[in-house]
Amino acid sequence: MSGAFTHHGGRIADACARFGGAPEDWLDLSTGINPVPWQPPPALAIDWRGLPDTQALARLEARAAGHFGVAPNLCMAVPGSETALRLLARVLDLPGLTPPLAYGTYRDAFAPGAALASGEDPPPRATAIVLGNPNNPDGTVLAPARALALLAHQEAHGGWLIVDEAFADCAPDASVAALVAPQRRLIVLRSFGKFFGLAGLRLGFLIAPEGVLAALRHLLGDWPVHAAALALGTAAYADRTWIADTRQALPARAAALDRVLRRHGLSPEGACPLFRLVRTPEAGRLFAMLARRRILTRPCADHSDLLRLGLPADDAERARLDAALAQGRADG
């Protein structure tokens, strides 16, 4: 029943078709996108008439690089980190290794691939290891010692370590982006839309040695992102007050979600405050029960005992989830 909803979140039109209701009836908890997005200043103008300006692109990349704590020459803007991931697979042309529980696009992009269990040594050959940090959907953070060990292995065998940090803005100290250097075989992906809550902008960043960036720039062409992404991204990364306030607010919202879930016998997991994972043999039933009450969550492909929930935006949305879970338990 839930298989159509395992690949990406946010499929409200599909949810309406299957479970009924209009889009405005639904509470979407199927993504890991900040439900309280950054708001652009009213005076920010976007000129849609001309081609995206190359100097504006350079300013955005420099501003983002400063936010990530990396050198500007190692950072480039891309039209969404997922696009960059798929292009990287073409450029590197290596078999992929991913964790058994990971974002499905890793396996799609780097097929044929294989699973790399936690703590397991990679094979002694050139591969592309692709990891989430924090990982999606379980929110685990990559230990620095593990990152360094994997990087050393990949460099010894001519492979690459690719770390997808789409959710790392919530916990910047967990990032390995500062390890990227011209002679290292490390690539880091960052997302704008998750933390800033503007996923529709389709803006991401690739942090990598310059040779890798040159190959991606060639594939993407002269205008990799549109004018709105240039303007909004540059302004958002400059908004230090909003960034600091949001880094404080998100853990509090996640803790409030945890209390709701525990009240109904569920044990939330994850160090990323933008989503929680629950493990229960009733995951499929729970997904369907919530969907019948117009609350969309995220089941996990190949893991029928897992369900991921994004953050409710406020007290009213948490209360709606709380009531739905209580009613579902009462109904059996």
Side-chain angles (χ1 to χ4, degrees), residues 92-95 97 110 122-130 150-162 183-187 209 212:
L92 301 181
D93 193 25
L94 291 170
L97 296 175
F110 283 87
R125 62 177 186 275
T127 61
I129 295 176
V130 190
L150 288 172
L151 180 57
H153 179 279
Q154 294 302 83
E155 290 178 339
H157 294 90
W160 287 86
L161 175 61
I162 302 170
Q183 305 305 319
R184 307 303 309 257
R185 299 182 75 87
L186 172 64
I187 298 168
V212 174

Side-chain angles (χ1 to χ4, degrees), residues 103-115:
Y103 184 42
T105 297
Y106 301 163
R107 288 185 291 274
D108 289 347
F110 283 87

Side-chain angles (χ1 to χ4, degrees), residues 2-216:
S2 60
F5 300 94
T6 61
H7 190 57
H8 289 297
R11 301 183 64 174
I12 293 297
D14 292 335
C16 292
R18 176 161 297 183
F19 296 100
E24 59 270 21
D25 299 329
W26 283 79
L27 170 57
D28 187 4
L29 302 182
S30 67
T31 77
I33 299 166
N34 186 351
V36 185
W38 176 79
Q39 297 294 320
L44 183 65
I46 299 170
D47 184 359
W48 289 104
R49 298 168 299 173
L51 291 169
D53 182 66
T54 56
Q55 293 185 359
L57 175 62
R59 287 193 295 272
L60 168 63
E61 291 175 342
R63 185 68 55 78
H67 176 78
F68 303 143
V70 302
N73 64 306
L74 301 178
C75 179
M76 70 172 284
V78 294
S81 55
E82 176 159 335
T83 295
L85 185 67
R86 294 182 183 277
L87 292 178
L88 275 174
R90 290 177 54 186
V91 168
L92 301 181
D93 193 25
L94 291 170
L97 296 175
T98 63
L101 183 59
Y103 184 42
T105 297
Y106 301 163
R107 288 185 291 274
D108 289 347
F110 283 87
L116 180 67
S118 177
E120 182 180 65
D121 291 332
R125 62 177 186 275
T127 61
I129 295 176
V130 190
L131 305 174
N133 182 43
N135 189 48
N136 176 16
D138 62 356
T140 58
V141 173
L142 181 64
R146 176 65 170 164
L148 290 171
L150 288 172
L151 180 57
H153 179 279
Q154 294 302 83
E155 290 178 339
H157 294 90
W160 287 86
L161 175 61
I162 302 170
V163 183
D164 178 10
E165 295 191 342
F167 296 99
D169 284 299
C170 304
D173 292 344
S175 174
V176 300
L179 298 177
V180 177
Q183 305 305 319
R184 307 303 309 257
R185 299 182 75 87
L186 172 64
I187 298 168
V188 172
L189 296 160
R190 296 293 290 255
S191 170
F192 174 81
K194 304 291 193 306
F195 179 74
F196 288 93
L198 299 174
L201 203 61
R202 304 313 304 142
L203 177 61
F205 294 86
L206 189 69
I207 304 164
E210 290 174 292
V212 174
L213 298 187
L216 265 289

Side-chain angles (χ1 to χ4, degrees), residues 157-298:
H157 294 90
W160 287 86
L161 175 61
I162 302 170
V163 183
D164 178 10
E165 295 191 342
F167 296 99
D169 284 299
C170 304
D173 292 344
S175 174
V176 300
L179 298 177
V180 177
Q183 305 305 319
R184 307 303 309 257
R185 299 182 75 87
L186 172 64
I187 298 168
V188 172
L189 296 160
R190 296 293 290 255
S191 170
F192 174 81
K194 304 291 193 306
F195 179 74
F196 288 93
L198 299 174
L201 203 61
R202 304 313 304 142
L203 177 61
F205 294 86
L206 189 69
I207 304 164
E210 290 174 292
V212 174
L213 298 187
L216 265 289
R217 289 192 193 278
H218 177 74
L219 289 174
L220 288 170
D222 294 330
W223 304 289
V225 297
H226 55 67
L230 296 177
L232 295 173
T234 301
Y237 283 122
D239 195 343
R240 295 179 181 272
T241 299
W242 186 91
I243 291 169
D245 289 347
T246 301
R247 283 174 173 163
Q248 283 193 320
L250 286 175
R253 291 194 184 101
L257 173 59
D258 289 345
R259 289 192 291 273
V260 170
L261 296 173
R262 291 192 179 107
R263 188 153 53 241
H264 299 283
L266 301 170
S267 299
E269 300 178 17
C272 178
L274 284 171
F275 57 84
R276 286 295 189 256
L277 185 74
V278 295
R279 298 175 189 265
T280 169
E282 296 293 307
R285 186 192 68 81
L286 185 59
F287 168 84
M289 180 275 291
L290 290 171
R292 287 193 295 273
R293 290 164 175 80
R294 309 293 189 262
I295 298 175
L296 186 61
T297 55
R298 176 75 180 277

